[in-house]
Amino acid sequence: MEFQEQWNYYVTLTESMLKVQMEQSEAPSILQDGMTYSLFAGGKRLRPVICLGSCEMLGGSATEALKAACAIEMIHTYSLIHDDLPAMDDDDLRRGKPSNHKVFGEANAILAGDGLLSLAMQLVSQVENKKAYQAVAKGAVEMVYGQSLDLNGKPDAETLFKTHEKKTGALLKAAVLAGAYTANAEQRQIDILSSFSDHFGLLFQITDDILDITGTREQLGKSVGKDERDDKVTFVTLYGLDAAKSEAVHVSEAAIMDLDRLDEDTSFLRGIVGKVLNRSF
Ligand code: GRG
């Protein structure tokens, strides 16, 4: 299957299950509308796609990993809803649309985030492979630790790396490993994919920081240069744009070298690394 065809197939699987999960929820209509609004607001579905890709790469079937993949997308969506709240990053726009709290109000947005996290846990509790379940739970916990570091941590390089390893990296790692565990991966494969996820998470965050400066409003779905205006410590504000770009290339090479150590056909995951490096979403 061509890369884009495989990507689209995973997105379709994910969105079908997310749609069913939302339709089946017995949430009051305003809560259901709020959760559905953000879940279907145009996210790239990177995390479920990489979860399903990791599973199939190791010989599992995408449908087996689908509950974990959808739970991760729900957790990711809740984190964005809460991150946009006035008490946190205070963003009025997300993916080019009004943020959840701008449409439904702050209290309902808090609940929409809580609801998505709770539904995610309910969904992933149905996963047969306990290690896949634990990987998702760990990702959710560490992401919150990362957000806390981001809010309260010291603005230095060490804290920046730790923050992003947790805030952005943990859920991406959960996606890769939940897929791998579902395919009953051996410990050697888990170790390699764990290292891959560390490099991939860093790549994602560095390119996100670069995009905040170089991206267009359409590409970002929000205003350009927000990190700088908010006095945020990012890879770009700390090291400069050129050094951040070189570091992105360097960590993408490290991620590819991790994949080289696997015997399986890693072309889909390689394609995702290229897509993130070039931000061609
Ligand atoms: C509120 C507990 C809590 C956590 C929030 C993820 C996060 C932690 C904050 C978002 C801030 C941010 C911009 C982080 C950078 C990385 C990131 C998660 C970007 C958005 O991910 P994409 O590009 O989003 O995959 P889409 O819109 O495609 O789903």
Side-chain angles (χ1 to χ4, degrees), residues 43-47 73 76 78-80 82-83 88 94-95 143-144 147 167-168 204-205 208 279:
K44 296 182 285 296
R45 313 299 192 196
L46 171 63
R47 292 154 193 79
E73 186 66 4
H76 166 64
Y78 115 72
S79 81
L80 299 180
H82 281 190
D83 189 64
M88 293 222 192
R94 166 74 55 187
R95 299 156 174 163
M143 180 185 71
V144 180
Q147 182 76 347
K167 188 179 103 169
T168 312
F204 187 84
Q205 187 60 54
D208 206 67
R279 281 301 179 136

mmCIF file of all heavy atoms in Angstrom, residues 43-47 73 76 78-80 82-83 88 94-95 143-144 147 167-168 204-205 208 279, ligand 1:
data_model
loop_
_atom_site.group_PDB
_atom_site.id
_atom_site.type_symbol
_atom_site.label_atom_id
_atom_site.label_comp_id
_atom_site.label_asym_id
_atom_site.label_seq_id
_atom_site.Cartn_x
_atom_site.Cartn_y
_atom_site.Cartn_z
ATOM 1 N N GLY A 43 -8.218 17.590 13.423
ATOM 2 C CA GLY A 43 -6.898 17.098 13.863
ATOM 3 C C GLY A 43 -6.273 16.183 12.823
ATOM 4 O O GLY A 43 -6.984 15.545 12.032
ATOM 5 N N LYS A 44 -4.950 16.121 12.833
ATOM 6 C CA LYS A 44 -4.235 15.319 11.825
ATOM 7 C C LYS A 44 -4.335 13.824 12.081
ATOM 8 O O LYS A 44 -4.042 13.020 11.221
ATOM 9 C CB LYS A 44 -2.745 15.713 11.834
ATOM 10 C CG LYS A 44 -2.497 17.146 11.409
ATOM 11 C CD LYS A 44 -1.010 17.469 11.389
ATOM 12 C CE LYS A 44 -0.399 17.668 12.754
ATOM 13 N NZ LYS A 44 -0.914 18.821 13.508
ATOM 14 N N ARG A 45 -4.662 13.437 13.314
ATOM 15 C CA ARG A 45 -4.773 12.017 13.730
ATOM 16 C C ARG A 45 -3.412 11.331 13.742
ATOM 17 O O ARG A 45 -3.332 10.124 13.481
ATOM 18 C CB ARG A 45 -5.737 11.217 12.823
ATOM 19 C CG ARG A 45 -7.072 11.861 12.533
ATOM 20 C CD ARG A 45 -7.862 12.088 13.759
ATOM 21 N NE ARG A 45 -9.256 12.440 13.461
ATOM 22 C CZ ARG A 45 -10.061 12.988 14.354
ATOM 23 N NH1 ARG A 45 -9.646 13.276 15.573
ATOM 24 N NH2 ARG A 45 -11.309 13.259 14.036
ATOM 25 N N LEU A 46 -2.356 12.120 13.986
ATOM 26 C CA LEU A 46 -1.003 11.547 13.980
ATOM 27 C C LEU A 46 -0.855 10.395 14.978
ATOM 28 O O LEU A 46 -0.263 9.363 14.664
ATOM 29 C CB LEU A 46 0.011 12.664 14.305
ATOM 30 C CG LEU A 46 1.445 12.225 14.561
ATOM 31 C CD1 LEU A 46 2.056 11.581 13.319
ATOM 32 C CD2 LEU A 46 2.309 13.405 15.009
ATOM 33 N N ARG A 47 -1.380 10.581 16.195
ATOM 34 C CA ARG A 47 -1.162 9.565 17.231
ATOM 35 C C ARG A 47 -1.846 8.241 16.908
ATOM 36 O O ARG A 47 -1.204 7.186 16.957
ATOM 37 C CB ARG A 47 -1.565 10.123 18.606
ATOM 38 C CG ARG A 47 -0.610 11.235 19.042
ATOM 39 C CD ARG A 47 -1.206 12.234 20.009
ATOM 40 N NE ARG A 47 -0.351 13.420 20.123
ATOM 41 C CZ ARG A 47 -0.332 14.409 19.226
ATOM 42 N NH1 ARG A 47 -1.128 14.390 18.159
ATOM 43 N NH2 ARG A 47 0.485 15.431 19.373
ATOM 44 N N GLU A 73 -6.303 9.365 20.953
ATOM 45 C CA GLU A 73 -6.778 10.583 20.276
ATOM 46 C C GLU A 73 -7.738 11.367 21.191
ATOM 47 O O GLU A 73 -7.746 12.594 21.188
ATOM 48 C CB GLU A 73 -7.451 10.220 18.942
ATOM 49 C CG GLU A 73 -7.846 11.405 18.079
ATOM 50 C CD GLU A 73 -6.660 12.233 17.526
ATOM 51 O OE1 GLU A 73 -5.497 11.863 17.742
ATOM 52 O OE2 GLU A 73 -6.932 13.270 16.894
ATOM 53 N N HIS A 76 -5.521 13.109 23.718
ATOM 54 C CA HIS A 76 -4.869 14.238 23.040
ATOM 55 C C HIS A 76 -5.862 15.411 22.903
ATOM 56 O O HIS A 76 -5.533 16.565 23.202
ATOM 57 C CB HIS A 76 -4.387 13.757 21.664
ATOM 58 C CG HIS A 76 -3.995 14.845 20.722
ATOM 59 N ND1 HIS A 76 -2.935 15.693 20.968
ATOM 60 C CD2 HIS A 76 -4.523 15.233 19.521
ATOM 61 C CE1 HIS A 76 -2.830 16.551 19.967
ATOM 62 N NE2 HIS A 76 -3.773 16.303 19.088
ATOM 63 N N TYR A 78 -8.595 16.047 24.665
ATOM 64 C CA TYR A 78 -8.890 16.665 25.979
ATOM 65 C C TYR A 78 -7.762 17.618 26.368
ATOM 66 O O TYR A 78 -8.005 18.713 26.879
ATOM 67 C CB TYR A 78 -9.139 15.585 27.050
ATOM 68 C CG TYR A 78 -8.123 15.526 28.177
ATOM 69 C CD1 TYR A 78 -8.075 16.517 29.178
ATOM 70 C CD2 TYR A 78 -7.197 14.490 28.261
ATOM 71 C CE1 TYR A 78 -7.126 16.464 30.195
ATOM 72 C CE2 TYR A 78 -6.247 14.440 29.264
ATOM 73 C CZ TYR A 78 -6.213 15.432 30.225
ATOM 74 O OH TYR A 78 -5.259 15.392 31.213
ATOM 75 N N SER A 79 -6.500 17.186 26.099
ATOM 76 C CA SER A 79 -5.370 18.023 26.521
ATOM 77 C C SER A 79 -5.382 19.358 25.777
ATOM 78 O O SER A 79 -5.043 20.399 26.344
ATOM 79 C CB SER A 79 -4.045 17.290 26.325
ATOM 80 O OG SER A 79 -3.600 17.365 24.984
ATOM 81 N N LEU A 80 -5.794 19.337 24.519
ATOM 82 C CA LEU A 80 -5.832 20.589 23.758
ATOM 83 C C LEU A 80 -6.951 21.498 24.257
ATOM 84 O O LEU A 80 -6.778 22.714 24.357
ATOM 85 C CB LEU A 80 -6.002 20.293 22.260
ATOM 86 C CG LEU A 80 -4.879 19.465 21.606
ATOM 87 C CD1 LEU A 80 -5.169 19.256 20.119
ATOM 88 C CD2 LEU A 80 -3.510 20.111 21.782
ATOM 89 N N HIS A 82 -8.167 21.643 27.294
ATOM 90 C CA HIS A 82 -7.756 22.241 28.574
ATOM 91 C C HIS A 82 -6.598 23.226 28.378
ATOM 92 O O HIS A 82 -6.546 24.264 29.026
ATOM 93 C CB HIS A 82 -7.368 21.133 29.564
ATOM 94 C CG HIS A 82 -8.563 20.467 30.195
ATOM 95 N ND1 HIS A 82 -8.469 19.599 31.259
ATOM 96 C CD2 HIS A 82 -9.887 20.552 29.908
ATOM 97 C CE1 HIS A 82 -9.683 19.175 31.601
ATOM 98 N NE2 HIS A 82 -10.557 19.731 30.783
ATOM 99 N N ASP A 83 -5.695 22.907 27.462
ATOM 100 C CA ASP A 83 -4.558 23.797 27.223
ATOM 101 C C ASP A 83 -5.008 25.164 26.691
ATOM 102 O O ASP A 83 -4.376 26.182 26.963
ATOM 103 C CB ASP A 83 -3.593 23.147 26.226
ATOM 104 C CG ASP A 83 -2.293 23.928 26.103
ATOM 105 O OD1 ASP A 83 -1.563 24.015 27.101
ATOM 106 O OD2 ASP A 83 -2.013 24.471 25.023
ATOM 107 N N MET A 88 -4.873 28.485 31.283
ATOM 108 C CA MET A 88 -3.642 27.851 30.789
ATOM 109 C C MET A 88 -3.051 28.691 29.659
ATOM 110 O O MET A 88 -2.597 29.786 29.878
ATOM 111 C CB MET A 88 -3.936 26.407 30.371
ATOM 112 C CG MET A 88 -4.306 25.553 31.577
ATOM 113 S SD MET A 88 -3.540 23.946 31.538
ATOM 114 C CE MET A 88 -4.456 23.144 32.835
ATOM 115 N N ARG A 94 -8.163 27.194 17.659
ATOM 116 C CA ARG A 94 -7.488 25.894 17.581
ATOM 117 C C ARG A 94 -7.854 25.306 16.235
ATOM 118 O O ARG A 94 -9.023 25.223 15.886
ATOM 119 C CB ARG A 94 -7.970 25.023 18.750
ATOM 120 C CG ARG A 94 -7.669 23.551 18.695
ATOM 121 C CD ARG A 94 -6.242 23.192 18.959
ATOM 122 N NE ARG A 94 -5.673 23.665 20.202
ATOM 123 C CZ ARG A 94 -4.363 23.535 20.500
ATOM 124 N NH1 ARG A 94 -3.535 22.951 19.661
ATOM 125 N NH2 ARG A 94 -3.908 24.014 21.640
ATOM 126 N N ARG A 95 -6.854 24.923 15.477
ATOM 127 C CA ARG A 95 -7.074 24.351 14.138
ATOM 128 C C ARG A 95 -7.946 25.279 13.283
ATOM 129 O O ARG A 95 -8.825 24.827 12.537
ATOM 130 C CB ARG A 95 -7.735 22.983 14.234
ATOM 131 C CG ARG A 95 -6.921 21.944 14.999
ATOM 132 C CD ARG A 95 -7.808 20.874 15.553
ATOM 133 N NE ARG A 95 -7.088 19.765 16.171
ATOM 134 C CZ ARG A 95 -7.665 18.900 16.997
ATOM 135 N NH1 ARG A 95 -8.938 19.022 17.315
ATOM 136 N NH2 ARG A 95 -6.977 17.918 17.505
ATOM 137 N N MET A 143 1.868 13.096 30.448
ATOM 138 C CA MET A 143 1.526 14.335 29.738
ATOM 139 C C MET A 143 1.137 15.429 30.744
ATOM 140 O O MET A 143 1.522 16.594 30.593
ATOM 141 C CB MET A 143 0.381 14.064 28.765
ATOM 142 C CG MET A 143 -0.038 15.279 27.984
ATOM 143 S SD MET A 143 -1.480 14.929 26.986
ATOM 144 C CE MET A 143 -2.747 14.791 28.243
ATOM 145 N N VAL A 144 0.382 15.041 31.770
ATOM 146 C CA VAL A 144 -0.019 16.031 32.792
ATOM 147 C C VAL A 144 1.203 16.517 33.570
ATOM 148 O O VAL A 144 1.330 17.714 33.862
ATOM 149 C CB VAL A 144 -1.087 15.438 33.747
ATOM 150 C CG1 VAL A 144 -1.491 16.462 34.799
ATOM 151 C CG2 VAL A 144 -2.315 15.002 32.967
ATOM 152 N N GLN A 147 2.813 19.071 31.444
ATOM 153 C CA GLN A 147 2.089 20.348 31.437
ATOM 154 C C GLN A 147 2.385 21.126 32.715
ATOM 155 O O GLN A 147 2.529 22.340 32.694
ATOM 156 C CB GLN A 147 0.580 20.089 31.288
ATOM 157 C CG GLN A 147 -0.272 21.335 31.215
ATOM 158 C CD GLN A 147 -0.218 22.052 29.868
ATOM 159 O OE1 GLN A 147 0.634 21.767 29.036
ATOM 160 N NE2 GLN A 147 -1.114 22.978 29.650
ATOM 161 N N LYS A 167 5.361 16.319 28.088
ATOM 162 C CA LYS A 167 4.147 16.977 27.582
ATOM 163 C C LYS A 167 3.772 16.511 26.179
ATOM 164 O O LYS A 167 2.621 16.219 25.894
ATOM 165 C CB LYS A 167 4.353 18.503 27.587
ATOM 166 C CG LYS A 167 3.093 19.282 27.273
ATOM 167 C CD LYS A 167 3.333 20.766 27.313
ATOM 168 C CE LYS A 167 3.435 21.310 25.910
ATOM 169 N NZ LYS A 167 3.414 22.780 25.859
ATOM 170 N N THR A 168 4.752 16.427 25.316
ATOM 171 C CA THR A 168 4.484 16.055 23.926
ATOM 172 C C THR A 168 4.903 14.618 23.649
ATOM 173 O O THR A 168 4.216 13.873 22.955
ATOM 174 C CB THR A 168 5.275 16.974 22.960
ATOM 175 O OG1 THR A 168 5.077 18.305 23.373
ATOM 176 C CG2 THR A 168 4.819 16.797 21.535
ATOM 177 N N PHE A 204 9.046 16.148 16.830
ATOM 178 C CA PHE A 204 7.726 16.763 16.715
ATOM 179 C C PHE A 204 7.703 18.122 17.420
ATOM 180 O O PHE A 204 7.195 19.109 16.892
ATOM 181 C CB PHE A 204 6.657 15.828 17.308
ATOM 182 C CG PHE A 204 5.272 16.320 17.073
ATOM 183 C CD1 PHE A 204 4.625 16.055 15.881
ATOM 184 C CD2 PHE A 204 4.617 17.086 18.026
ATOM 185 C CE1 PHE A 204 3.350 16.541 15.649
ATOM 186 C CE2 PHE A 204 3.347 17.574 17.800
ATOM 187 C CZ PHE A 204 2.708 17.289 16.614
ATOM 188 N N GLN A 205 8.288 18.160 18.626
ATOM 189 C CA GLN A 205 8.233 19.409 19.389
ATOM 190 C C GLN A 205 9.103 20.487 18.746
ATOM 191 O O GLN A 205 8.691 21.643 18.659
ATOM 192 C CB GLN A 205 8.666 19.156 20.833
ATOM 193 C CG GLN A 205 8.477 20.381 21.709
ATOM 194 C CD GLN A 205 7.029 20.845 21.768
ATOM 195 O OE1 GLN A 205 6.148 20.048 22.084
ATOM 196 N NE2 GLN A 205 6.759 22.114 21.459
ATOM 197 N N ASP A 208 7.376 21.809 15.842
ATOM 198 C CA ASP A 208 6.226 22.608 16.296
ATOM 199 C C ASP A 208 6.683 24.012 16.681
ATOM 200 O O ASP A 208 6.038 25.005 16.338
ATOM 201 C CB ASP A 208 5.576 21.909 17.503
ATOM 202 C CG ASP A 208 4.113 22.241 17.646
ATOM 203 O OD1 ASP A 208 3.336 21.827 16.769
ATOM 204 O OD2 ASP A 208 3.747 22.933 18.619
ATOM 205 N N ARG A 279 6.959 18.890 7.920
ATOM 206 C CA ARG A 279 5.639 19.391 8.314
ATOM 207 C C ARG A 279 4.691 19.468 7.107
ATOM 208 O O ARG A 279 4.029 20.488 6.869
ATOM 209 C CB ARG A 279 5.756 20.734 9.006
ATOM 210 C CG ARG A 279 6.187 20.591 10.464
ATOM 211 C CD ARG A 279 5.194 19.735 11.227
ATOM 212 N NE ARG A 279 5.545 19.522 12.614
ATOM 213 C CZ ARG A 279 4.675 19.599 13.620
ATOM 214 N NH1 ARG A 279 3.415 19.865 13.411
ATOM 215 N NH2 ARG A 279 5.050 19.338 14.842
HETATM 216 C C1 GRG B 1 -3.814 20.283 29.667
HETATM 217 C C2 GRG B 1 -3.083 18.147 30.788
HETATM 218 C C3 GRG B 1 -2.928 19.125 29.731
HETATM 219 C C4 GRG B 1 -1.962 18.919 28.826
HETATM 220 C C5 GRG B 1 -1.762 19.773 27.671
HETATM 221 C C6 GRG B 1 -0.568 18.734 24.582
HETATM 222 C C7 GRG B 1 -0.531 19.788 25.584
HETATM 223 C C8 GRG B 1 -0.512 19.351 27.000
HETATM 224 C C9 GRG B 1 -0.575 21.088 25.255
HETATM 225 C C10 GRG B 1 -0.644 21.570 23.868
HETATM 226 C C11 GRG B 1 0.371 22.624 23.675
HETATM 227 C C12 GRG B 1 1.209 22.321 22.518
HETATM 228 C C13 GRG B 1 1.076 23.203 21.334
HETATM 229 C C14 GRG B 1 2.034 21.306 22.527
HETATM 230 C C15 GRG B 1 2.894 21.009 21.391
HETATM 231 C C16 GRG B 1 2.694 19.696 20.795
HETATM 232 C C17 GRG B 1 1.312 19.422 20.413
HETATM 233 C C18 GRG B 1 0.603 18.490 21.274
HETATM 234 C C19 GRG B 1 0.791 19.954 19.311
HETATM 235 C C20 GRG B 1 -0.542 19.630 18.796
HETATM 236 O O1 GRG B 1 -0.521 18.325 18.276
HETATM 237 P P1 GRG B 1 -0.973 18.039 16.778
HETATM 238 O O2 GRG B 1 -0.270 18.970 15.864
HETATM 239 O O3 GRG B 1 -2.502 18.438 16.888
HETATM 240 O O4 GRG B 1 -0.829 16.582 16.509
HETATM 241 P P2 GRG B 1 -3.735 18.135 15.907
HETATM 242 O O5 GRG B 1 -4.460 19.439 15.858
HETATM 243 O O6 GRG B 1 -3.248 17.689 14.568
HETATM 244 O O7 GRG B 1 -4.512 17.063 16.595
#
